[in-house]
Amino acid sequence: MQDKGYYDSWFWKGFLFSGAAFATAVSKPELQRDTYQEDIFLEKMRGRDILKNDGWECPFCHSLNEDIVSTCGCGKSREESIKYNKQQSTGIPEQNIISLLKEYKELMDNGIITQEEFDTKKRELLKNNG
């Protein structure tokens, strides 16, 4: 340092001040945000407004999208989201309904269940999928 024209005292002052600054930073308590609850409330209200005005929630990433948005930030389209929500609400994918109906038809043909029982099951499956 002396070769570059600096005094030793600058080094020690810097060392002491940086040590004091570090000790102060470490001893400080964590900052508490008073507005946390308010932020949550405002976000919920904003979400309700979006959904009330024909907006949609992406079932894949759960972000809320305005009605004019056709593709979510995660890359899923509004149509994919609607189809996914419809499948989840029925609980049975369309392919499984078809195979279940075939199984019930086979049971009816073999005399294990009656025509009335088959029609009841068919109505239930189609009603839940409709």
Side-chain angles (χ1 to χ4, degrees):
M1 287 185 353
Q2 287 178 351
D3 291 341
K4 294 185 177 187
Y6 294 103
Y7 297 108
D8 287 340
S9 63
W10 283 108
F11 170 76
W12 291 111
K13 287 178 187 175
F15 181 76
L16 290 175
F17 284 124
S18 65
F22 177 75
T24 303
V26 170
S27 66
K28 287 281 222 188
E30 188 175 327
L31 182 62
Q32 298 293 322
R33 284 189 59 195
D34 296 332
T35 59
Y36 180 70
Q37 294 296 327
E38 184 179 332
D39 290 348
I40 291 174
F41 174 76
L42 290 174
E43 187 64 30
K44 284 183 180 179
M45 293 306 292
R46 182 179 168 275
R48 287 182 188 158
D49 288 343
I50 288 173
L51 294 176
K52 192 187 323 180
N53 295 326
D54 295 329
W56 56 284
E57 180 179 4
C58 178
F60 304 101
C61 69
H62 301 290
S63 63
L64 298 175
N65 300 290
E66 299 282 347
D67 64 328
I68 59 173
V69 177
S70 62
T71 304
C72 182
C74 68
K76 301 293 184 180
S77 70
R78 185 176 189 162
E79 289 76 27
E80 286 175 304
S81 298
I82 291 169
K83 185 176 180 182
Y84 179 83
N85 283 335
K86 187 175 180 182
Q87 264 186 350
Q88 294 303 314
S89 66
T90 62
I92 304 173
E94 191 173 331
Q95 290 295 343
N96 290 354
I97 291 173
I98 293 169
S99 64
L100 282 172
L101 285 173
K102 286 179 181 178
E103 288 177 24
Y104 286 126
K105 174 74 169 125
E106 190 176 309
L107 290 172
M108 186 186 71
D109 291 343
N110 291 333
I112 299 171
I113 62 171
T114 65
Q115 177 71 42
E116 185 179 318
E117 291 172 322
F118 173 77
D119 291 339
T120 302
K121 285 293 185 182
K122 180 179 174 182
R123 259 193 312 275
E124 286 176 12
L125 288 171
L126 294 176
K127 179 182 173 187
N128 289 340
N129 196 35

